[in-house]
Structures are given as structure tokens and as C-alpha cells.
Amino acid sequence: SFWTRPAAIQANLDRHIRAACKADAEHVQLLVFPELGLTGYACRDLFRDEHLLATALEALEQFCEQTSLMETVFLVGLPIAIAGNLFNVAAVVHTGKVIAFVPKSFLAARSEWQEDEWFVPASHLQTTMVKLSWQVNEVPIGTDILIEITDSSGNQVFVLGVEICADGWQAGSPGDRLALNGATVI
């Protein structure tokens, strides 16, 4: 099983890379890591710490470097600050590049889950692109992104749509919209 520790970014990254290597060796087409897997889900007020956020982005960069020769598509969870707002996102990584960010739309905000204390929902997003220091091209961000995954011959393998955890429990979920628009894998 795969588990993460809160704020143990290097240890979490090491687990991600080990799992990625195994997936690549087994010719896995898509590997989905846990929500907020790089930082751990239960960081709570640490999500406000700029060092934690910067370290999570550095870990994503290292993950990209380590997976640059792999054909597997990876979904990696982390927090990202954009224009003063903090989003819980899945980074779609393929051949060592972040090809999309998908923010969570519906935050769990009851009982022990109080995501709305740290994160804002995707509806607060005021941009469609994010610039990463280690990539030449900007990365699209949004909830309506469809990603066509092709094999080395250019043949379509699947069309990926992404939703995060509680997003899938809602009527009219992002996954519903994505499937209606052509996603074959959510």
C-alpha cells in the first residue's frame, strides 16, 4: 500500500519515485498518487507555510526529472499557491513534464476534514495557465482539461479527465462533464 507522512516531503517524494519506477518497469499506463501526496494530506496549518509550498514544488520538479524517460502518466497531488489563493491540485506528469494542473472543485468541509480552512475551490481560479521555473512552456490549469495520451506511434491510448476525491461524490461532478466531453478515463 502507499502512504504519506505530513510534511515529510523528501520521504514522500522517495516513495513516489519508487512507485513510479515499479510502474514503468511493469508498463503501467497511468499511476494515480494520493491526494496531496507530496506534502501529506494532514498538514493542516502547515499548508500556510511558504517553505512547505516551495519544497512541494521542488519535489514536483525532482519527480519530473526522475520520470523523464518513463512513458507512464502520473497524477501527483500537492498544494499550489496562485495569486494569493491556495489550491489542492493534481499535477499530470508525462515524460518528465507537468502537462496540466487540475484543482479540486469541492472541498471536504465537515467533521475531521476542514479543507476550506486552507484551500479555495477551483471556482476561485482566475487564470488558465501556470508558469513553472523549470519548464519552458506554461502549464494549463483548470477543471475542464482533457488530455489525450498517445503511444510512441502517435496512436491514442486514452483521453484523461481528472477530478479529486470529493469532486466525484457531487451531482454534476467534474468527471461527469469530462466524460460527456470525451474523457475515457477519469
Side-chain angles (χ1 to χ4, degrees):
S1 70
F2 195 92
W3 56 273
T4 60
R5 289 185 12 228
I9 294 174
Q10 186 60 54
N12 295 336
L13 173 61
D14 292 344
R15 285 184 192 91
H16 278 66
I17 292 171
R18 282 195 304 273
C21 290
K22 183 176 181 190
D24 182 59
E26 295 177 6
H27 306 288
V28 171
Q29 292 177 327
L30 174 66
L31 181 60
V32 179
F33 289 104
E35 178 180 4
L36 297 167
L38 287 179
T39 57
Y41 183 85
C43 287
R44 302 188 63 84
D45 285 343
L46 278 177
F47 284 125
R48 293 186 180 109
D49 183 83
E50 290 182 21
H51 178 72
L52 180 94
L53 300 177
T55 304
L57 273 177
E58 291 168 7
L60 179 61
E61 179 181 9
Q62 291 173 30
F63 183 84
C64 288
E65 290 171 2
Q66 295 292 316
T67 61
S68 64
L69 299 177
M70 297 181 188
E71 288 297 320
T72 303
V73 176
F74 302 101
L75 295 182
V76 179
L78 71 156
I80 291 187
I82 301 171
N85 288 312
L86 188 60
F87 295 91
N88 173 351
V89 303
V92 182
V93 177
H94 189 226
T95 59
K97 293 181 184 68
V98 178
I99 58 174
F101 284 114
V102 179
K104 189 171 186 177
S105 293
F106 298 96
L107 303 176
R110 62 180 188 282
S111 190
E112 68 269 22
W113 299 284
Q114 298 158 350
E115 295 174 359
D116 59 344
E117 288 189 29
W118 304 284
F119 299 103
V120 297
S123 60
H124 285 66
L125 194 60
Q126 297 179 2
T127 186
T128 59
M129 302 298 280
V130 173
K131 180 65 178 128
L132 297 171
S133 63
W134 70 89
Q135 289 190 187
V136 173
N137 296 324
E138 289 185 312
V139 178
I141 184 168
T143 59
D144 58 350
I145 298 171
L146 292 173
I147 302 157
E148 183 178 357
I149 304 301
T150 58
D151 63 19
S152 57
S153 300
N155 299 313
Q156 185 184 86
V157 179
F158 57 89
V159 178
L160 177 65
V162 178
E163 65 182 8
I164 302 172
C165 194
D167 289 353
W169 308 335
Q170 309 302 315
S173 72
D176 292 344
R177 289 190 317 274
L178 292 163
L180 289 171
N181 286 300
T184 57
V185 174
I186 304 291

